[in-house]
């Protein structure tokens, strides 16, 4: 498929994953979506689709039903079985119009289907409906207090501490790493500085006074902790969720490397692409040549399933906003 024409990076655009084993179908949809301002990822088989979805967590998936190997029905079932991708709406693309096939698509987790030959305007109209529905569903989930699941699914660092005993009863993987690095502690021990902060400021929450952010410094980085909400209580005590965030360029690069499955140097190169740097700039920053930066970027394209700097940066910006929502891009 020919490379898409470069265009200025669009902020807050939706990320679409197209899955089809026919290059002509991919090209038609890719061009139509790109022209409409979407960031587009592609996959030509089921295994690649599952990998792309796990790495990039698109806002919607356009999924071919019939493919060699893992077909679209199985891809949909696996996406819906994974908490990290279960929320993503799936629109099936199928040439099969028999009732049993359409029912199978919906039973596998699809929210809708379009029939082949594909009509891009119809696909765009259907997508917009389901993207709006997905946004409303996410807002409803947040309002319903499903903070713990959302934080864990999107990779935020968070912990839950039970008081008055001060025991750390739950944490994400990133939180475990951060507490060990900054405080030298691990569950069920809660760092003393965190307990002192909680016990000092929790009485004020009765009057709806938000505690000040706790900051723990380490060299050129800092770890901030913010009290999020009470998640449970009984006669013996209460449980409190705390959000942790590491502030530094290094932290963002490390998070990108881990979540997008890139090497440390590939994540560095992609980070500076997001910052608008050219290959020449990146080479100077990293102490290498523009050609070396270009080679790293080409490997990033392959891993993310994209073809341009714009698309790679779009994937990276979406993930950075999920992992570091207060980070200035």
């Amino acid at each position: 498929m020919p490379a898409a024409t470069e265009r200025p990076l669009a902020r807050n655009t939706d990320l679409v994953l197209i899955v089809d084993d026919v290059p002509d179908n991919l090209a038609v949809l890719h061009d139509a979506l790109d022209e409409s301002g979407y960031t587009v990822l592609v996959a030509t088989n089921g295994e690649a689709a599952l990998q792309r979805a796990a790495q990039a967590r698109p806002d919607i998936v356009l999924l071919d039903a019939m493919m060699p190997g893992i077909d679209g029905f199985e891809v949909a079932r696996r996406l819906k079985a994974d908490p990290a991708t279960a929320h993503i709406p799936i629109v099936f693309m199928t040439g099969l119009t028999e009732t049993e096939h359409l029912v199978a698509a919906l039973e596998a987790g699809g929210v809708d289907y379009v029939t082949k030959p594909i009509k891009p305007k119809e696909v765009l109209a259907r997508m917009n409906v389901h993207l709006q529905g997905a946004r409303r569903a996410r807002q409803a989930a947040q309002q319903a207090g499903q903070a713990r699941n959302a934080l864990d699914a999107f990779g935020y660092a968070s912990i839950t501490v039970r008081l008055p005993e001060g025991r750390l009863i739950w944490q994400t993987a990133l939180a475990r790493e951060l507490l060990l690095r900054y405080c030298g502690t691990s569950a069920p021990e809660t760092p003393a500085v965190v307990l002192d902060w909680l016990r000092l400021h929790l009485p004020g929450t009765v009057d709806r006074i938000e505690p000040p952010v706790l900051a723990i410094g380490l060299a050129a980085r800092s770890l901030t902790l913010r009290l999020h909400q009470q998640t449970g209580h009984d006669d013996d005590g209460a449980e409190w969720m705390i959000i942790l965030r590491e502030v530094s360029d290094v932290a963002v690069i490390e998070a990108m490397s881990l979540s997008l499955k890139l090497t440390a140097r590939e994540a560095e190169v992609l980070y500076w692409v997001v910052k608008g740097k050219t290959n020449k700039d990146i080479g100077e920053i990293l102490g290498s040549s523009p050609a070396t930066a270009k080679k790293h970027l080409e490997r990033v394209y392959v891993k993310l399933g994209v073809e341009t700097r714009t698309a790679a940066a779009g994937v990276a910006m979406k993930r950075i906003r999920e992992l570091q929502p207060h980070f200035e891009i």
Side-chain angles (χ1 to χ4, degrees), residues 1-10 13 15 30-31 33-35 37-42 52 269-270 273-274 277 279 293-294 296-317:
M1 184 174 61
T5 303
E6 292 285 348
R7 55 183 169 81
L9 293 180
T13 57
L15 182 62
H30 184 286
D31 292 347
L33 293 171
D34 187 68
E35 289 174 5
Y38 292 97
T39 300
V40 183
L41 304 179
V42 299
R52 301 276 188 270
V269 170
L270 181 56
V273 168
V274 171
K277 302 298 184 181
N279 288 345
K294 182 180 179 182
H296 284 301
L297 192 54
E298 287 171 350
R299 286 196 287 270
V300 170
Y301 291 166
V302 172
K303 290 185 177 181
L304 298 187
V306 300
E307 298 180 345
T308 66
R309 296 172 78 91
T310 299
V315 172
M317 287 193 296

Side-chain angles (χ1 to χ4, degrees), residues 162-184:
R162 183 171 176 81
L163 293 174
E165 64 262 41
R167 184 164 50 93
L168 197 160
I169 61 173
W170 178 85
Q171 63 187 346
T172 62
L174 181 56
R176 181 186 303 111
E177 177 186 328
L178 291 172
L179 289 179
L180 185 60
R181 185 191 312 162
Y182 279 83
C183 304

Side-chain angles (χ1 to χ4, degrees), residues 11 60 67 71 76 82 90 142 144 159 175 206 254 280 303:
R11 298 179 71 87
I60 194 166
M67 296 183 293
D71 64 19
D82 185 344
I90 299 171
Q142 291 170 353
I159 62 174
V206 176
E254 288 179 350
K280 181 180 178 182
K303 290 185 177 181

Side-chain angles (χ1 to χ4, degrees), residues 12 19 36 54-55 91 113-114 120 124 129 136 147 149-150 172-173 179 183 189 191 209 211 227 241 260 263 325:
N12 298 320
V19 187
S36 298
Q55 289 179 333
V91 176
Y113 65 89
V114 292
L124 285 166
V129 170
R136 287 194 295 269
N149 291 336
T172 62
L179 289 179
C183 304
E189 179 185 358
I209 300 173
L227 187 63
M241 176 177 281
L260 296 176
T263 67

